[in-house]
């Protein structure tokens, strides 16, 4: 922190923390999600008392045996086995500590009983937390019934705590963002945020604004910083008088943020999945990728992480991930309850975690542990060494008009991701992978997929389905078996006649055919150009083939492409650079330069 940051006024929450520690009282803090409650604790405790540490306990992620467990141990005096209550090792840090129980209302009933003993008496089972070094106990949460599991209504309990309700103006989030995003001057952004209505400020919470700024710094669309709640992008809308969503101000507000920063707010970028995964590895981000099944999301993430780290990501598929796959509690030699981490989480080497089928967890216990990792980058209270990025991949709640068997999330969970992308099949370069693996057969099915079926048909025929069709064709089996089976003898409603004709040698026109007869096509393009400066039907055919071709195909037939594109109208040539990836732009620039020579 700089001198300027240190001189910043103490926030209301920081003053409350100091007072509760001095008084020896339990503090209860309520405030909306994402306003900087937890971050304020971490920074203020470290700055206010360098000898003390903050013990952070995410209550929503606890299972009943995490805090306290009865275990058989050998009595050092008699040598007999006796039952002892073992307390979690984090509560014995060996130095003074402040205990922060976050999301305290989101814990289950058994955990609530343990937390209440801590809050009332600063004890846990037979252990006195003061003896262990505790100098302060705080519970934080928001009071939204949509996100909490309990309400505190017992007066005997409520009479034990000092309660503070706060807003974003009571934490030090502005100071932290100003330091994080130097050399940007964020004062215009803060002024814009303050000018919004309370409803919009709640939607654009400081945590979400942090994510918007992170995406702006990378040159990404700023909307990627807005969370996906139940599969839909959060919209910054003013509530109408009848309570329904009113005017959608998302684009207006994000454009103003970009203007204040002096950066663009692009609607899209080339190769978005690879770019955001690389940014995650650079910036220690948590990223959510949501897209339809079978489009190649998982393989592209694996490939990009492998290229960035030089090693495979730590892969977990949520439908088959148990708590024991992540960690397991064990008694330790010092009489505490420790946790063994899965071997893949240990060691100094750089790591990236991939959570596949993120919204299809096996059970609540496993998802609770997962949430600790995604939210706090720790597991059972222990930091995961050299964890560089986390990528979660999931399907949307609905696809092709059918409901997917996925779980719902809430706004507090959704806002944990620095970037949240809605991935379309065209964002995944799966076509190149198919061409590299299956050669001419892949060219045939891709030409069919691009030219012979409509948009609805392409939605049903995923890249995973295309691979099955190729394999079935090579084995001489009916292709219909490779399409999605809907039950009762019904398959995906996509006609396969044109694909069968292509495999049987029906005359078709693709890039291979253009290159094979390039002289005749040059003559046709010259005739079209002589009749109109905008070309003709033949010009449109060639343009469509070139526009839909994969980069590897264009490179393979570079000489023919250069000859043909020179005879297309200039306005068609210009479209090849729009929205193209860096490699595609480089290819077309080289082609255009060759034309001039």
């Amino acid at each position: 922190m700089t001198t300027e940051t240190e001189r910043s006024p103490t926030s209301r929450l920081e003053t409350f923390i100091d007072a509760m520690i001095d008084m020896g009282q339990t503090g209860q803090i309520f405030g909306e999600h994402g306003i900087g409650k937890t971050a304020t604790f971490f920074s203020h405790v470290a700055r206010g008392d360098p000898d003390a540490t903050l013990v952070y306990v995410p209550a929503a992620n606890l299972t009943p045996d995490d805090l306290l467990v009865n275990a058989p141990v050998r009595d050092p005096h008699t040598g007999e086995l006796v039952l002892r209550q073992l307390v979690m090792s984090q509560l014995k840090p060996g130095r003074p500590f402040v205990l922060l129980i976050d999301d305290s209302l989101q814990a289950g009933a058994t955990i609530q009983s343990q937390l209440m003993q801590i809050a009332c008496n600063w004890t846990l089972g037979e252990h006195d937390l003061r003896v262990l070094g505790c100098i302060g106990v705080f519970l934080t949460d928001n009071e939204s019934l949509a996100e909490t599991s309990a309400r505190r209504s017992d007066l005997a309990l409520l009479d034990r705590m000092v309660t503070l309700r706060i807003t974003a103006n009571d934490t030090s989030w502005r100071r932290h963002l100003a330091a994080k995003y130097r050399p940007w001057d964020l004062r215009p952004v803060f002024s814009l945020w303050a000018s919004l209505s309370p409803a919009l400020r709640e939607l654009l919470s400081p945590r979400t604004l942090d994510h918007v700024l992170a995406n702006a710094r990378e040159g990404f669309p700023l909307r990627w910083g807005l969370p996906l709640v139940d599969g839909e992008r959060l919209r910054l809308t003013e509530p109408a008088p009848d309570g329904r969503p009113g005017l959608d101000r998302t684009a207006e507000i994000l454009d103003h943020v970009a203007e204040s920063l002096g950066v663009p707010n692009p609607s899209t970028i080339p190769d978005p999945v690879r770019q955001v995964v690389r940014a995650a590895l650079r910036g220690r981000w948590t990223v959510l990728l949501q897209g339809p099944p079978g489009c190649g999301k998982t393989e592209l993430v694996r490939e990009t992480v492998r290229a960035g780290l030089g090693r495979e990501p730590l892969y977990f598929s949520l439908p088959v991930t148990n708590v024991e796959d992540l960690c397991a509690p064990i008694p330790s030699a010092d009489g505490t309850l420790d946790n063994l981490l899965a071997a893949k989480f240990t060691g100094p080497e750089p790591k990236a975690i991939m959570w596949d089928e993120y919204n299809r967890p096996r059970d609540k216990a496993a998802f609770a542990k997962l949430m600790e990792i995604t939210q706090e980058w720790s597991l059972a209270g222990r930091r995961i060494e050299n964890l560089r990025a986390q990528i979660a991949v999931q399907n949307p709640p609905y696809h092709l008009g059918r409901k997917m068997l996925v779980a719902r999330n809430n706004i507090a969970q959704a806002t944990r991701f620095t970037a949240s992308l809605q991935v379309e099949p065209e964002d995944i370069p799966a076509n190149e992978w198919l061409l590299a693996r299956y050669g001419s057969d892949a060219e045939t099915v891709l030409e069919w997929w691009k030219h012979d079926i409509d948009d609805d048909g392409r939605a049903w025929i995923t890249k995973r389905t295309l691979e099955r069709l190729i394999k079935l064709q090579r084995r001489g089996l009916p292709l219909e078996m490779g399409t999605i089976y809907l039950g009762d003898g019904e398959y995906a409603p996509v006609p396969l006649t044109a694909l069968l004709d292509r495999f049987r040698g029906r005359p078709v026109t693709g890039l291979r055919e253009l290159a094979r007869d390039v002289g005749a096509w040059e003559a046709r393009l010259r005739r079209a150009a002589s009749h109109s400066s905008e070309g003709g039907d033949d010009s449109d055919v060639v343009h469509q083939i070139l526009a839909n071709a994969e980069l590897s195909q264009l490179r393979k037939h570079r000489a023919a492409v250069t000859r043909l594109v020179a005879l297309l109208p200039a306005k068609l040539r210009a479209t090849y650079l729009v929205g193209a990836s860096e490699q595609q732009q480089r290819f077309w620039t080289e082609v255009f330069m060759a034309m001039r020579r």
Side-chain angles (χ1 to χ4, degrees), residues 1-2 5 174-183 186 217:
M1 291 275 179
T2 66
T5 301
R174 291 178 180 84
R175 185 169 69 217
H176 294 297
L177 290 188
K180 181 177 181 179
Y181 290 101
R182 287 194 176 98
L186 296 185
R217 187 158 62 180

Side-chain angles (χ1 to χ4, degrees), residues 464-481:
R464 189 184 293 153
T465 301
L466 289 178
E467 185 180 19
R468 288 197 301 273
L469 293 175
I470 294 171
K471 290 180 177 179
L472 290 170
Q473 165 64 21
R474 289 184 170 185
R475 293 300 300 267
L477 295 172
L479 299 186
E480 186 182 45
M481 297 191 304

